[in-house]
């Protein structure tokens, strides 16, 4: 038990080290052709039902073999895994993971199986230190009320690398419902067709008074790809929305706070890509929200809710940094709305963003009743930079950002982009890398948008065995080329 490193040595050459941890715990297996009378300890003796996950102890892992799992609808709860105050432990989570190289999946339209994971007794129980990874759910279908893939309430829950396809339903709920959940890690999930209305969200996280647990807080939503649009069957004539962070007005001292949304690809949102609602009774209802390094592309026009960002109610410390927002909404409606309920909020801060409208008639912002815009070092292209009362815009860049291949989906920067080194380092406490994980800054200053320009591709150089000195500008590198084995000819460096 403990930490270590994997290092491979081949013909005298040593690899870089990869860290790992061995902890106490058992490995079990479940399979669609298994039997719950088995011991679950080997691939030859797997269990049948995913619900056996709740028989595990801290540190255990349940591997789900490939195939379709059929729910037995335990206690009429319409879920494959029901959680009843079920906890792992610090450093020893309990994990449900698809077996490597295989696809474990469920059909959410089938009776008794509309959810993959559900917190039971929603008003009185929580579950902590759990992992769900590489599972697949299809067809969250309105005919049986299916609308949520994962409903969790608790702390330290990791939902990593799952796939959710084809939610053809309207509901004011999330594919991932994370109310009153703290320290949630929602990483690397793929969602295709997220709902038939903008209220059908990718993530719905609301601090509520009616359920236990803490607050909707310290949630990390990153590296996901969400293709939102299905159709306009819902009452608002919109496709699927994305993220709703909110707080009920009767939640007492509880708030929704410290939500980090970064490095995601959001495309084809039907409206309300980000909807933030703070209630009506205090100025801290929703606070410390950070949205950065996201690609937001081709939001589908929606008359009722056209905006990609909507800020509503009592909100403070909301930061929108280094995002690329490209041709979203409709030509005559804004894609960012800032408005208040009963009293003004502390308005969001925009820095180092690329705003690209559909055409030169589309407004960037809609100000509503109280709205203000606070923008610094943002790039505006196609429409004119907004100005006038309630617009506080400084150091704006008004120019074509010069993307590499926007029609092909590549919104990285060419070497002549006016966005290069044109941003502000005021974002440095939050933004240290770009969408691809490259270090920021890489030049004289921060670049604007989700991508940091990394410079031109370095040409490949051909060498035979020997020692070489290579220079470019004031930089010099010494390259030692040593032939290993019987290979012949030059090598590329």
């Amino acid at each position: 038990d403990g930490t270590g490193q994997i290092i491979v040595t081949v013909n005298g050459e040593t690899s870089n080290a990869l860290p790992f941890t061995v902890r106490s715990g058992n490995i079990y297996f479940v399979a669609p052709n298994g039997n719950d009378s088995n011991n679950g300890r080997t691939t030859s003796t797997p269990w049948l039902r995913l619900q056996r996950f709740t028989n595990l102890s801290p540190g255990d892992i349940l591997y789900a073999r490939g195939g379709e799992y059929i729910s037995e609808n335990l206690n009429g709860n319409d879920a494959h895994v029901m959680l009843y105050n079920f906890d792992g432990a610090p450093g020893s989570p309990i994990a449900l993971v698809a077996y490597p190289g295989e696809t474990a999946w469920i059909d959410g339209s089938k009776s008794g199986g509309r959810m993959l994971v559900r917190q039971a007794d929603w008003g009185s129980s929580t579950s902590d230190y759990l992992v769900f990874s590489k599972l697949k759910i299809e067809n969250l279908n309105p005919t049986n009320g299916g609308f949520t893939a994962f409903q969790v309430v608790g702390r330290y829950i990791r939902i990593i690398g799952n796939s959710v396809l084809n939610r053809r339903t309207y509901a004011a709920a999330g594919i991932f419902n994370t109310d009153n959940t703290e320290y949630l890690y929602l990483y690397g999930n793929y969602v295709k067709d997220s709902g038939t209305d903008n209220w059908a969200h990718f993530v719905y996280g609301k601090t509520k008074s009616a359920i236990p647990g803490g607050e909707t807080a310290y949630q990390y939503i990153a590296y996901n790809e969400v293709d939102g649009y299905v159709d306009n069957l819902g009452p608002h004539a919109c496709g699927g929305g994305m993220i709703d962070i909110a707080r009920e007005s009767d939640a007492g001292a509880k708030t929704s706070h410290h939500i980090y949304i970064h490095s995601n690809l959001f495309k084809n949102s039907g409206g309300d890509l980000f909807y933030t609602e703070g209630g009506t009774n205090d100025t801290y209802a929703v606070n410390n929200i950070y949205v950065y390094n996201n690609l937001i592309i081709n939001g589908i026009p929606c008359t009722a809710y056209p905006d990609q960002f909507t800020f509503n109610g009592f909100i403070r410390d909301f930061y929108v940094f280094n995002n690329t927002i490209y041709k979203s909404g409709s030509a005559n409606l804004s894609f960012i709305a800032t408005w208040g309920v009963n009293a003004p909020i502390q308005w969001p801060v925009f820095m180092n963003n690329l705003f690209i409208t559909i055409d030169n008639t589309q407004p960037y912002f809609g100000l509503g009743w109280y709205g203000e815009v606070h923008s610094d070092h943002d790039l505006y292209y196609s429409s004119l930079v907004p100005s006038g009362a309630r617009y506080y815009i400084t150091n704006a860049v008004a120019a074509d950002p010069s993307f590499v291949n926007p029609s092909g989906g590549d919104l990285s920067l060419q070497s002549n982009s006016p966005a290069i080194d044109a941003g502000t380092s005021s974002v440095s406490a939050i933004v240290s890398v770009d969408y691809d994980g490259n270090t920021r800054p890489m030049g004289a200053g921060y670049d604007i948008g989700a991508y940091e320009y990394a410079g031109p591709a370095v040409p490949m150089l051909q060498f035979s065995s020997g020692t070489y000195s290579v220079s470019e500008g004031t930089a010099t590198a010494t390259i030692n080329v040593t032939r290993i084995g019987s290979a012949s000819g030059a090598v590329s460096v």
Side-chain angles (χ1 to χ4, degrees):
D1 291 353
T3 59
Q5 293 180 324
I6 295 174
I7 300 174
V8 179
T9 302
V10 179
N11 293 332
E13 294 293 320
T14 301
S15 74
N16 59 306
L18 298 177
F20 69 91
T21 300
V22 177
R23 62 173 180 256
S24 60
N26 300 300
I27 292 176
Y28 296 93
F29 301 91
V30 62
N33 62 351
N35 190 315
D36 283 338
S37 64
N38 291 338
N39 62 18
R41 294 301 302 272
T42 73
T43 56
S44 301
T45 59
W47 291 323
L48 172 64
R49 294 181 297 121
L50 293 173
Q51 182 64 24
R52 293 304 297 264
F53 174 69
T54 59
N55 294 111
L56 273 57
S57 300
D60 290 350
I61 301 172
L62 178 61
Y63 280 109
R65 299 301 305 268
E68 181 184 1
Y69 288 81
I70 306 299
S71 174
E72 295 186 14
N73 194 19
L74 296 174
N75 302 321
N77 283 306
D78 279 346
H80 290 257
V81 177
M82 293 296 300
L83 304 173
Y84 301 85
N85 285 320
F86 178 64
D87 301 322
S92 295
I94 304 173
L96 173 59
V97 184
Y99 191 83
E102 298 182 4
T103 301
W105 64 284
I106 72 170
D107 187 335
S109 68
K110 294 184 176 178
S111 177
R114 68 180 188 176
M115 294 186 191
L116 181 52
V117 176
R118 181 179 184 183
Q119 183 65 41
D121 302 324
W122 196 40
S124 61
S125 70
T126 63
S127 296
D128 302 339
Y129 296 101
L130 304 178
V131 178
F132 304 99
S133 182
K134 299 187 178 181
L135 305 166
K136 179 180 177 181
I137 180 169
E138 295 183 328
N139 304 322
L140 290 170
N141 193 293
T143 59
N144 79 324
F147 52 81
T148 296
F150 291 83
Q151 181 195 75
V152 295
V153 181
R155 302 169 71 243
Y156 295 100
I157 297 175
R158 296 173 64 85
I159 303 176
I160 313 294
N162 301 281
S163 297
V164 182
L165 311 178
N166 189 32
R167 178 170 65 163
R168 295 186 176 273
T169 182
Y170 163 71
I175 286 176
F176 302 94
N177 259 27
T178 65
D179 299 336
N180 288 37
T181 297
E182 298 177 336
Y183 299 99
L184 170 83
Y185 299 85
L186 192 69
Y187 284 173
N189 298 283
Y190 174 71
V191 174
K192 172 66 175 172
D193 295 338
S194 65
T196 64
D197 195 85
N198 63 302
W199 283 15
H201 306 286
F202 160 55
V203 175
Y204 187 88
K206 189 171 186 178
T207 298
K208 296 184 175 182
S209 60
I211 61 176
E215 303 172 307
T216 300
Y218 296 101
Q219 295 193 356
Y220 302 87
I221 303 168
Y223 317 113
N224 302 287
E225 180 176 339
V226 188
D227 190 342
Y229 192 70
V230 178
D231 51 37
N232 60 355
L233 298 180
H236 300 116
C238 298
M242 296 294 176
I243 297 178
D244 188 327
I245 302 296
R247 172 193 181 275
E248 286 188 341
S249 59
D250 61 351
K254 291 183 178 181
T255 65
S256 296
H257 61 92
H258 288 91
I259 312 296
Y260 299 84
I261 303 166
H262 70 89
S263 309
N264 300 284
L265 171 58
F266 297 114
K267 58 184 178 181
N268 301 323
S269 170
D272 280 350
L273 188 149
F274 296 102
Y275 186 84
T276 309
E277 184 174 12
T280 59
N281 65 342
D282 71 69
T283 56
Y284 295 90
V286 175
N287 64 87
N288 287 280
I289 312 297
Y290 303 89
V291 180
Y292 59 99
N293 283 346
N294 298 286
L295 293 176
I296 301 164
I297 300 174
N298 298 334
I300 304 299
C302 170
T303 301
Y305 290 86
D307 307 294
Q308 299 298 286
F309 288 77
T310 300
F311 306 99
N312 179 19
F314 290 94
I315 301 166
R316 61 173 298 157
D317 299 314
F318 196 115
Y319 303 99
V320 184
F321 297 158
N322 282 100
N323 300 282
T324 296
I325 306 174
Y326 180 77
K327 293 190 175 182
S328 293
S330 60
N332 61 343
L333 295 168
S334 65
F335 57 51
I336 297 176
T338 56
W339 52 296
V341 175
N342 296 334
I345 61 176
Q346 183 189 67
W347 303 109
V349 175
F350 298 93
M351 290 184 180
N352 292 359
N353 300 284
L354 283 173
F355 296 127
I356 315 299
T357 52
I358 292 173
D359 58 28
N360 60 11
T361 67
Q362 183 187 18
Y364 296 98
F365 301 100
L367 295 183
W369 299 313
Y370 299 104
E372 296 177 0
V373 174
H374 296 262
S375 164
D376 183 40
H377 288 86
D378 293 314
L379 186 149
Y380 296 87
Y381 181 63
S382 192
S383 296
L384 295 175
V385 177
S387 61
R390 298 192 287 166
Y391 286 101
Y392 302 91
I393 296 178
T394 57
N395 303 300
V397 177
D400 185 338
S402 189
F403 294 131
V404 169
N405 183 15
S407 62
D410 187 349
L411 300 181
S412 60
L413 305 176
Q414 297 189 60
S415 60
N416 63 341
S417 171
I420 295 174
D421 297 340
T424 173
S425 62
S426 298
V427 303
S428 60
I430 298 299
V431 183
S432 60
V433 298
D434 75 349
Y435 176 85
D436 279 341
N438 297 311
T439 300
R440 288 188 189 266
M442 297 189 73
Y446 271 71
D447 295 352
I448 298 175
Y451 290 105
E452 187 81 4
Y453 178 68
V458 178
M460 300 298 289
L461 306 177
Q462 296 289 319
F463 297 93
S464 297
S465 294
T467 300
Y468 302 86
S469 179
V470 180
S471 298
E472 180 177 358
T474 60
T476 301
T478 298
I479 301 175
N480 295 303
V481 179
T482 303
R483 180 72 54 194
I484 297 174
S486 59
S488 61
V491 295
S492 296
V493 176

